Amino acid sequence: MCLGDDPTCAAFAEHRLRYRRDMEPERRAFLKSGFVATGGAAALAAGGLSLVSPALAQSSGSRLTQTAHYHLPANAETVHWGYFSKSLKPQVEIASGDFVTIETLTHHANDDAERMVTGDPGAESVFLWTKEKKGVARRGAGPEDSKLGPGGGLGVHICTGPVAIRGAEPGDVLEVRILDVAPRACANPKFKGRTFGSNAAAWWGYHYNDMLGGKKREVVTIYEVDSSGERDWAKAVYSFPWPGVTDPDGRDHPTIDYPGLPVDHTRTKRSFDVLKGIRVPIRPHFGTMGVAPAEAEMVNSIPPSYTGGNIDNWRIGKGATMYYPVAVPGALFSVGDPHASQGDSELCGTAIECSLTGTFQFILHKKADLAGTSLEALDFPMIETSEDWVLSGFSYPNYLKDLGADAQNAIFQKSSIDLAMRDAFRKMRQFLMQAKGLTEDEAISLMSVAVDFGITQVVDGNWGVHAIVKKAIFSERPA
């Protein structure tokens, strides 16, 4: 169903107007000091506990005037495929407090183009690939003359953006509230009312070198999601072993080694008898979301880092708030890698990769206002939900800086869960001491008895461990 975010809808203008009218009370509410002083919707849901203190919220809110709501579609002109860059031209420039509805496309849509591309003008423009023309030529941060194609597939995610935040400067913190996440309905009349996604058990998966019988194989499973959002589970439709692909430029791809490869289903052996009777809980979220790093001109979208990116944590969904340290002027926020669902670890290589549309609100917290607040020392991406604070640890906190000139290659050889766990521990210790005023000994004890550490992902080059602490723990502690 169009919520004012589907420009292909025949009634788009009417739905858009209705959506803007529905959002108006929330816009007005944000400008009221009572809402600003609590740090926003997340704080209200948690009884006032938020990373944004009342004083910081007041300072940041004092800069807001009339907010605006923008719509950023996903098409060949608005996406960048497989990389972040501090030099990308913004698709839209906004002020702090503004709302943006952003469409995102899964880079795995061509695993079943009939269900995920056909009839969708935005997706068709992005995935267009013939001998004569390629809708988005560069796919990755690699060289233009790569034998696999421009960009070399050194980065795979279709990112929409960037969004520039007016006045954002290095040292500031960008707060991104995820107000809504909706599935992108299939545009093919044959599958009306449904949304589809793809899970690839691929060569980069944790399982690949440990398969029973030593028989390595890549297997793709297509899932169906209810596009109305009424059904909170997905079901498998069919699976197929990767058949090998010859792309329109004549290159052979025996494995999934370049994003957006068009699968020819006349060559696949599809099994419709797969995962029968199993309902997969839906956790719509964005696997890749963040701001541009400063250390390199063009950065592979696969390894996450201190500015966010491919964190692949299913908690980055509706109702969550993200905090990012700003590294470049304008921040340059992009979002992509949409997922219908994923478990912690993303073990086989991907989640259910499924196109989604998100509505976000952006709040800029200036460096001058951060002293003495919970965000003062923030140098990593942090998740806040109504109940939890979630810190993201990586094998290398800032791999672009930590690993030197060859960082974008070296990171894929050096990651480990042990290193990611160490980083998550250090970040949680810092958070508990700096934001909550605990001593080191208190922080260490609390981490062992009340903080949950989990494996975020083991497939993104820079492996992740997250640390979760419940807000309720601090309900009786003075702010």
Side-chain angles (χ1 to χ4, degrees):
M1 176 181 175
C2 173
L3 299 174
D5 53 13
D6 181 6
T8 67
C9 174
F12 171 69
E14 177 187 347
H15 293 164
R16 177 80 170 145
L17 182 62
R18 184 185 306 158
Y19 181 81
R20 290 176 65 88
R21 188 167 58 244
D22 291 345
M23 288 294 291
E24 195 61 35
E26 185 165 353
R27 289 198 198 89
R28 290 197 300 269
F30 181 78
L31 296 176
K32 294 179 180 178
S33 60
F35 183 85
V36 172
T38 62
L44 288 173
L49 286 174
S50 172
L51 286 178
V52 179
S53 67
L56 177 59
Q58 193 69 51
S59 296
S60 301
S62 67
R63 299 186 182 89
L64 306 186
T65 54
Q66 179 65 45
T67 59
H69 190 164
Y70 301 85
H71 182 268
L72 186 54
N75 57 50
E77 303 303 317
T78 61
V79 305
H80 48 105
W81 196 326
Y83 62 94
F84 285 82
S85 174
K86 59 187 177 182
S87 297
L88 276 169
K89 180 182 177 181
Q91 294 297 325
V92 63
E93 184 179 64
I94 67 170
S96 180
D98 284 348
F99 301 78
V100 189
T101 294
I102 306 176
E103 299 176 10
T104 64
L105 297 172
T106 172
H107 53 290
H108 278 272
N110 252 353
D111 290 347
D112 188 333
E114 184 183 30
R115 287 172 168 83
M116 291 185 273
V117 177
T118 300
D120 184 327
E124 288 178 338
S125 73
V126 171
F127 284 92
L128 173 66
W129 190 358
T130 66
K131 290 181 179 180
E132 293 75 31
K133 188 176 181 181
K134 201 173 183 182
V136 180
R138 169 173 281 280
R139 302 182 183 184
E144 282 287 333
D145 59 354
S146 168
K147 65 179 182 179
L148 294 176
L154 300 178
V156 298
H157 309 102
I158 301 172
C159 297
T160 310
V163 175
I165 292 78
R166 198 172 301 122
E169 301 170 306
D172 298 343
V173 169
L174 181 64
E175 175 184 348
V176 182
R177 300 173 181 173
I178 307 174
L179 303 181
D180 194 25
V181 181
R184 188 181 184 93
C186 175
N188 188 333
K190 289 174 60 177
F191 307 104
K192 185 177 180 179
R194 287 176 278 177
T195 295
F196 297 91
S198 173
N199 166 250
W203 61 266
W204 61 86
Y206 190 83
H207 70 291
Y208 192 69
N209 292 315
D210 195 16
M211 299 190 76
L212 296 176
K215 186 179 179 181
K216 297 179 182 180
R217 59 194 177 278
E218 295 181 303
V219 177
V220 175
T221 304
I222 302 298
Y223 286 83
E224 179 186 316
V225 179
D226 176 12
S227 61
S228 73
E230 295 178 2
R231 192 178 70 209
D232 63 356
W233 47 271
K235 62 180 180 181
V237 180
Y238 68 92
S239 66
F240 63 91
W242 182 255
V245 167
T246 300
D247 68 34
D249 294 328
R251 303 183 190 91
D252 291 328
H253 302 267
T255 61
I256 308 171
D257 60 0
Y258 192 71
L261 293 171
V263 174
D264 178 359
H265 279 283
T266 65
R267 298 178 57 188
T268 63
K269 295 180 180 179
R270 290 191 274 188
S271 171
F272 288 86
D273 188 24
V274 58
L275 293 173
K276 293 295 184 183
I278 294 177
R279 296 182 174 185
V280 179
I282 290 298
R283 295 168 167 175
H285 64 282
F286 299 98
T288 300
M289 193 167 100
V291 296
E295 286 75 10
E297 184 64 31
M298 191 169 287
V299 179
N300 188 328
S301 70
I302 295 174
S305 192
Y306 75 105
T307 53
N310 191 29
I311 295 177
D312 275 332
N313 191 315
W314 60 263
R315 297 159 185 85
I316 306 176
K318 182 176 180 178
T321 296
M322 292 297 301
Y323 299 89
Y324 300 103
V326 175
V328 302
L332 300 184
F333 172 89
S334 297
V335 58
D337 192 25
H339 297 163
S341 197
Q342 181 202 303
D344 286 334
S345 84
E346 201 180 21
L347 186 138
C348 81
T350 78
I352 298 180
E353 311 288 323
C354 174
S355 298
L356 303 172
T357 295
T359 297
F360 308 86
Q361 186 182 28
F362 299 85
I363 310 295
L364 182 64
H365 301 290
K366 296 298 293 180
K367 181 179 180 180
D369 298 328
L370 298 180
T373 74
S374 298
L375 297 176
E376 179 180 11
L378 188 77
D379 59 357
F380 56 87
M382 189 161 178
I383 307 167
E384 181 174 61
T385 71
S386 62
E387 297 181 349
D388 304 319
W389 288 301
V390 186
L391 289 74
S392 299
F394 306 120
S395 298
Y396 291 88
N398 180 352
Y399 77 94
L400 293 167
K401 178 181 177 182
D402 298 338
L403 297 180
D406 194 41
Q408 296 201 56
N409 291 315
I411 187 60
F412 292 96
Q413 313 301 324
K414 294 180 176 291
S415 288
S416 78
I417 288 298
D418 182 65
L419 290 172
M421 178 68 192
R422 180 71 59 187
D423 184 46
F425 153 67
R426 287 173 173 169
K427 286 173 177 172
M428 180 56 76
R429 177 177 58 186
Q430 170 189 314
F431 173 73
L432 294 175
M433 294 177 68
Q434 196 275 332
K436 295 302 170 186
L438 302 188
T439 67
E440 182 179 21
D441 291 336
E442 288 177 321
I444 289 171
S445 179
L446 188 63
M447 276 190 276
S448 191
V449 301
V451 174
D452 292 318
F453 290 83
I455 298 173
T456 319
Q457 50 77 23
V458 289
V459 293
D460 293 341
N462 200 8
W463 290 2
V465 167
H466 53 265
I468 305 175
V469 60
K470 294 288 182 186
K471 292 181 176 182
I473 290 174
F474 304 97
S475 59
E476 296 184 9
R477 188 174 179 86

